[in-house]
Amino acid sequence: MQSLLSKIANQSAKIGIIGQGYVGLPLAMVFAKNFTVLGYDVCLGTIECLRAGKSQIQDVGDEQLSQCLGQTYFPISDPEDLDTCDFLIICVPTPLSEDKIPDLSHIKSACTTIKTVLRSGQFVVLESTTYPGTTDEVVVPILEETGLVAGGDFGVAYSPERADPGNKDFPIDKVPTVVGGINTECTEVAAALYGSVMDQVVPVSDARTAEAVKMVENIFRNVNIALVNELALIFEQMGINTWEVIDAAATKPYGFMPFYPGPGVGGHCIPLDPYYMSYRAKKYGFIPRFIETSGEINEFMKMHVVNLVERGLRQVGKRLYGAKIAIMGLAYKKNINDSRESPAIKILEELANLGANVRVYDPYVSSLATKAGMFTSAKSLEEALRGAECAVFLVDHDVFRGISMETVKGLMESPVVVDGKNLFAGGEGVVYLGIGKGWSDSNDCNDRHKG
């Protein structure tokens, strides 16, 4: 391990990063500032684009990629090239199966690939989000099939990715990096590696602890989002504006952290991590009721959006079957092109299954694949809204915040607006139903519930 520390210190270490997606590519750009980096991906299309200087990741611009391409960063598709690397960092997806069971197939595949080139003196780091115990019980056994011993012949550690796509205030090298090795020496080496390019490193006791850190971070958010979503459903019935309540509560300078309701949660972590932790907890004989309930509440919000659409149409004497619905926003959060686990997927499927005539628009996402088919974005906001009987805003893109309700109403046939992100305050002559905002059965419920 001492030789690895020396290579880190003199910047001669070669870094191999497996997976060149939302986590792997930005991480590669960070390491490429000080080290030679090989970016490996099983998708030949991804590698071809990167070799051509074209980034498919919004957080890595073509200019940034070109600055290090062929200099310190080399996209590769041949796993044998990883043999020359001192460090191998796994940044692959960890999805869920249809029945909410953790799918570790990508991690296992990456480890199998590493196994073909693994030699004494190398160091393997897992960054993919997963439940506590994965590094010790999945990664290490596969790698030790080589006959080499983890923690002695080669190093192993876990460092949870903390990428937040689209967040310009906190690029990954500005976010504290947690590291935990399978022994003290591995933790020391991993801390030195990340400390050479990250602003701050937080070493923890072991890999299991580091894995648990990632679970806690995202379950905390999921549970609190579920809490405000449940309150939003209650306050809707009471005629209370949840958004106003939360903003007022947030003026308390201690003991409160604001979370806001919405049409469900998306992205690569928050919707998935509770189920990873739930699965693992059951292996230890514990039923994680609180965690699972939060997931169920957030999942229900997608159906609640559909219910609001039906309610709004009913107030103007229309039914959902055959109605012209404009879905505004396909990404899982504002101002990004990432649609992984987007609430729009299930909402589109349900509306299509119920016979609605659905069109979509997102300035960042060109199309979205669902079980109900592929939905391609309209060319403009105006095209999507023109003639629609109901507009459903699922994402608070800046472009959506920049339009007025008068503009929306002027384009639509019968203006029913379902607002999932507090974009509007209602409007004269509009049936406006906002998540977390009080409403009544009258055709125009705006005067009483603006905000």
Side-chain angles (χ1 to χ4, degrees):
M1 299 285 183
Q2 193 61 45
S3 63
L4 289 175
L5 291 172
S6 298
K7 288 184 175 182
I8 293 169
N10 63 27
Q11 298 184 352
S12 65
K14 183 179 287 188
I15 317 296
I17 299 181
I18 299 174
Q20 294 298 283
Y22 291 97
V23 175
L25 185 58
L27 185 66
M29 294 299 100
V30 171
F31 274 111
K33 294 176 183 178
N34 295 344
F35 300 94
T36 296
V37 177
L38 302 185
Y40 172 80
D41 203 288
V42 295
C43 178
L44 292 178
T46 295
I47 296 302
E48 288 171 0
C49 282
L50 291 172
R51 286 173 175 168
K54 301 295 183 183
S55 170
Q56 298 174 309
I57 305 301
Q58 189 173 342
D59 287 344
V60 176
D62 291 348
E63 183 178 351
Q64 181 185 7
L65 174 61
S66 297
Q67 286 174 354
C68 55
L69 184 63
Q71 303 295 320
T72 57
Y73 173 68
F74 303 89
I76 63 170
S77 58
D78 187 348
E80 290 186 7
D81 292 338
L82 296 171
D83 175 71
T84 63
C85 294
D86 300 292
F87 291 90
L88 297 165
I89 303 175
I90 301 171
C91 301
V92 296
T94 46
L96 289 170
S97 66
E98 285 288 332
D99 52 357
K100 305 295 185 184
I101 300 298
D103 178 3
L104 301 183
S105 60
H106 298 287
I107 291 179
K108 293 175 180 177
S109 178
C111 290
T112 300
T113 296
I114 291 173
K115 188 176 66 172
T116 65
V117 300
L118 188 66
R119 54 177 170 76
S120 182
Q122 285 183 310
F123 198 104
V124 179
V125 181
L126 176 63
E127 280 215 9
S128 304
T129 300
T130 186
Y131 55 72
T134 302
T135 302
D136 293 328
E137 300 170 22
V138 177
V139 173
V140 168
I142 294 175
L143 299 181
E144 285 189 334
E145 289 176 359
T146 59
L148 298 172
V149 178
D153 296 322
F154 64 94
V156 179
Y158 181 80
S159 179
E161 61 87 3
R162 284 174 159 179
D164 187 14
N167 191 332
K168 299 185 186 304
D169 294 328
F170 293 103
I172 59 174
D173 57 333
K174 303 300 179 186
V175 179
T177 301
V178 175
V179 296
I182 61 170
N183 58 31
T184 302
E185 192 175 12
C186 287
T187 300
E188 179 187 357
V189 173
L193 174 67
Y194 283 92
S196 67
V197 294
M198 304 296 185
D199 280 8
Q200 181 183 351
V201 173
V202 182
V204 295
S205 301
D206 50 35
R208 287 174 183 264
T209 303
E211 290 162 337
V213 168
K214 182 64 173 179
M215 292 290 102
V216 169
E217 290 172 0
N218 287 314
I219 291 172
F220 172 83
R221 294 171 68 190
N222 192 70
V223 166
N224 279 280
I225 292 169
L227 173 62
V228 296
N229 275 333
E230 186 167 65
L231 289 171
L233 297 174
I234 296 169
F235 288 154
E236 281 180 14
Q237 300 285 346
M238 293 180 172
I240 296 171
N241 187 326
T242 311
W243 303 83
E244 182 180 358
V245 170
I246 294 171
D247 284 343
T251 62
K252 185 179 180 181
Y254 58 90
F256 183 82
M257 180 181 294
F259 288 82
Y260 294 93
V265 293
H268 58 297
C269 286
I270 297 178
L272 309 182
D273 291 4
Y275 295 102
Y276 267 72
M277 194 66 223
S278 173
Y279 170 84
R280 191 59 171 170
K282 290 173 182 176
K283 293 289 186 180
Y284 283 82
F286 185 83
I287 301 175
R289 293 183 178 89
F290 196 60
I291 294 173
E292 291 191 347
T293 297
S294 68
E296 291 170 3
I297 293 170
N298 290 333
E299 187 67 20
F300 170 72
M301 296 307 292
K302 302 167 188 177
M303 184 60 70
H304 182 57
V305 170
V306 176
N307 292 343
L308 290 179
V309 171
E310 283 194 289
R311 184 184 188 88
L313 288 169
R314 192 163 58 244
Q315 288 182 217
V316 294
K318 296 180 181 291
R319 61 181 183 176
L320 184 56
Y321 185 87
K324 292 173 283 187
I325 312 293
I327 296 295
M328 311 300 285
L330 304 177
Y332 83 84
K333 68 173 185 175
K334 68 177 183 179
N335 301 336
I336 66 170
N337 61 5
D338 191 348
S339 60
R340 289 175 296 171
E341 306 297 329
S342 169
I345 297 171
K346 294 295 185 184
I347 292 169
L348 283 169
E349 290 172 352
E350 186 65 19
L351 289 173
N353 288 338
L354 291 173
N357 180 2
V358 183
R359 67 187 74 161
V360 302
Y361 174 68
D362 193 299
Y364 299 95
V365 180
S366 60
S367 61
L368 189 64
T370 75
K371 291 180 180 179
M374 181 71 73
F375 289 84
T376 301
S377 175
K379 292 181 174 59
S380 67
L381 181 147
E382 290 77 13
E383 180 184 328
L385 290 175
R386 190 170 289 114
E389 295 168 292
C390 177
V392 185
F393 288 85
L394 300 178
V395 188
D396 51 340
H397 290 316
D398 288 346
V399 67
F400 294 161
R401 287 200 176 278
I403 63 174
S404 68
M405 182 62 83
E406 284 300 311
T407 299
V408 172
K409 182 176 69 172
L411 290 166
M412 296 177 65
E413 180 178 314
S414 61
V416 176
V417 174
V418 174
D419 183 0
K421 300 299 288 187
N422 195 32
L423 291 165
F424 307 105
E428 188 74 26
V430 178
V431 173
Y432 174 76
L433 298 172
I435 290 178
K437 297 186 177 183
W439 37 253
S440 68
D441 284 322
S442 63
N443 282 352
D444 191 345
C445 54
N446 306 293
D447 293 338
R448 189 168 146 246
H449 306 302
K450 288 182 180 180

